[in-house]
Amino acid sequence: MAELYGAITGWGAYAPPHVVTNHDLEATLDTSDEWIVQRTGIRQRHIAGADETTSTMAVKASISALAKANLPSGELDLILIATSSPDYFTPPVSSLVQAALNAHNTPAMTIVTGCTGFVYALVTADQFIRTGAYRNILVVGVELLSRFVNWQDRATSVLFGDAAGAVIVQATDRPCGVQGFVLGSDGSNYQHIIMPSGGSARPFGADVLAEGSHYLLMNGREVFKFATRIFGSASNQALSKAGMTIADVDWIIPHQANLRIIQAASKDMGVPMERFIINIDRYANTSAASIPLALAENIDCGRIKPTDTLLLVSFGAGMTWSAAVVQMQPIA
Ligand SMILES: CC(C)(COP(=O)(O)OP(=O)(O)OC[C@H]1O[C@@H](n2cnc3c(N)ncnc32)[C@H](O)[C@@H]1OP(=O)(O)O)[C@@H](O)C(=O)NCCC(=O)NCCS
């Protein structure tokens, strides 16, 4: 059998129309536009409307990606949804997306690795393509974290936004796709990003509601240190697996958690900020959606060419990390 590669033939993104600026937050929180911009680079975030859920946002991004790839949803062989903020604990949000897309009986699964979920899912899709098991795969990163943060907690609520991004991965015998990757997890530090209650460790109850311990909690300083430490090493490992150096990469698409983390990575790796794709100012941290959202937007505006070599780098809850060198389409 000829060697198979996963070409990314379609891409799409969705962000809810409702925008909340830092100035808007000043009305309800002891915070300021100046603090948020200086510490994070965030100026505004998109927040889902009452009629929206994680699955409805995922479906919108998926429909755009399917249209771009000119692929009917009925031809999908697999659906992978990366999210930590599903519609329900059970059933899996991936099945809701599968039903809404009319992708009849297509296997669907949810990948829950926090902000690294999209890269984990893309690498998983690439493996299914390379083995010849599946030919057409939908990969979505989607997050509706505005329903899981405590809007009274200024340390977390200002940081996140809602969005979805999707790609279609299709088998081809021409070299492209994921050229090298690294996935990692250090569960010994799981407590740094956590929703302490509502799961089996501490089921939901009146006490949980009273404490508000079902909301997302984060040890921002520890996460910051972890992210700046892991960024360069994960990037180098993925590049070395691809047999490349950073000089071979056209664009770095980092997870958009904090502009200062990206600036530190730029300095550490000796790569100018102009080669990093940044949209945290407009969307805040959209967790698993941040990379596919940045990818889709920048291809659509012509900044990224699908034949460019991309380095995707992410880090998040777990703690987990992931990096992948990707050339979406074969050079004609
Ligand atoms: C969260 C983060 C922006 C906080 O920035 P920081 O410089 O570490 O700030 P600190 O947490 O040390 O807080 C400094 C002060 O600002 C205050 N503060 C926190 N949030 C604030 C806000 N929204 N507005 C105003 N002040 C705020 C704190 O209460 C603290 O006050 P104190 O000194 O009186 O106690 C930063 O740690 C970060 O981005 N970490 C990484 C987060 C991340 O990447 N998460 C996602 C992973 S996928």
Side-chain angles (χ1 to χ4, degrees):
M1 191 174 79
E3 208 163 330
L4 290 168
Y5 303 90
I8 298 180
T9 55
W11 49 88
Y14 174 76
H18 180 54
V19 169
V20 174
T21 67
N22 295 346
H23 291 293
D24 294 333
L25 293 176
E26 287 173 356
T28 51
L29 275 176
D30 179 16
T31 191
S32 66
D33 176 58
E34 192 191 0
W35 191 96
I36 301 172
V37 172
Q38 272 180 10
R39 301 289 180 118
T40 70
I42 297 165
R43 291 181 185 277
Q44 61 172 47
R45 69 284 297 138
H46 290 245
I47 300 293
D51 57 338
E52 297 190 284
T53 65
T54 309
S55 64
T56 65
M57 294 199 305
V59 166
K60 285 193 170 138
S62 302
I63 288 171
S64 301
L66 285 161
K68 196 81 76 182
N70 201 15
L71 184 75
S73 59
E75 289 184 26
L76 285 171
D77 300 315
L78 178 66
I79 296 173
L80 299 174
I81 309 287
T83 190
S84 296
S85 47
D87 295 29
Y88 308 100
F89 266 149
T90 298
V93 69
S94 39
S95 292
L96 303 188
V97 174
Q98 173 258 314
L101 290 174
N102 291 318
H104 187 60
N105 289 356
T106 301
M109 65 174 139
T110 305
I111 293 184
V112 189
T113 59
C115 300
T116 58
F118 176 77
V119 179
Y120 263 75
L122 183 65
V123 167
T124 305
D126 189 71
Q127 297 299 306
F128 275 112
I129 298 270
R130 282 174 183 263
T131 59
Y134 295 129
R135 295 193 67 83
N136 302 322
I137 304 180
L138 167 65
V139 181
V140 182
V142 57
E143 220 76 71
L144 205 166
L145 282 167
S146 67
R147 304 243 165 95
F148 296 86
V149 295
N150 178 354
W151 284 96
Q152 253 81 69
D153 176 12
R154 65 178 184 177
T156 50
S157 61
V158 306
L159 302 175
F160 297 98
D162 302 330
V167 297
I168 304 296
V169 187
Q170 292 192 277
T172 173
D173 55 12
R174 293 190 295 153
C176 66
V178 177
Q179 329 240 305
F181 69 88
V182 61
L183 305 176
S185 165
D186 171 14
S188 66
N189 283 315
Y190 74 96
Q191 75 281 4
H192 290 327
I193 306 178
I194 188 166
M195 290 177 200
S197 301
S200 65
R202 184 128 192 267
F204 197 78
D207 50 342
V208 169
L209 190 62
E211 302 165 356
S213 57
H214 52 300
Y215 292 123
L216 183 73
L217 273 186
M218 187 172 63
N219 183 341
R221 280 197 189 169
E222 286 303 322
V223 176
F224 194 96
K225 279 195 269 176
F226 161 77
T228 47
R229 202 173 56 238
I230 208 73
F231 202 114
S233 66
S235 300
N236 288 336
Q237 285 174 56
L239 285 165
S240 126
K241 294 260 181 64
M244 291 184 191
T245 71
I246 196 69
D248 299 311
V249 169
D250 297 292
W251 297 103
I252 301 171
I253 310 185
H255 169 48
Q256 315 278 316
N258 186 318
L259 185 60
R260 288 189 296 140
I261 293 173
I262 301 172
Q263 287 164 336
S266 153
K267 209 166 149 210
D268 182 37
M269 294 164 72
V271 179
M273 282 299 280
E274 296 71 53
R275 279 173 59 207
F276 287 78
I277 300 287
I278 291 163
N279 65 11
I280 188 170
D281 50 329
R282 287 175 294 130
Y283 296 105
N285 180 351
T286 59
S287 189
S290 86
I291 289 179
L293 173 66
L295 180 70
E297 243 191 5
N298 282 276
I299 304 173
D300 282 341
C301 75
R303 193 160 172 228
I304 294 180
K305 293 191 293 298
T307 51
D308 283 347
T309 300
L310 311 173
L311 172 61
L312 317 181
V313 191
S314 194
F315 46 84
M319 306 299 287
T320 57
W321 59 93
S322 57
V325 179
V326 180
Q327 184 191 315
M328 296 170 60
Q329 293 181 7
I331 293 169

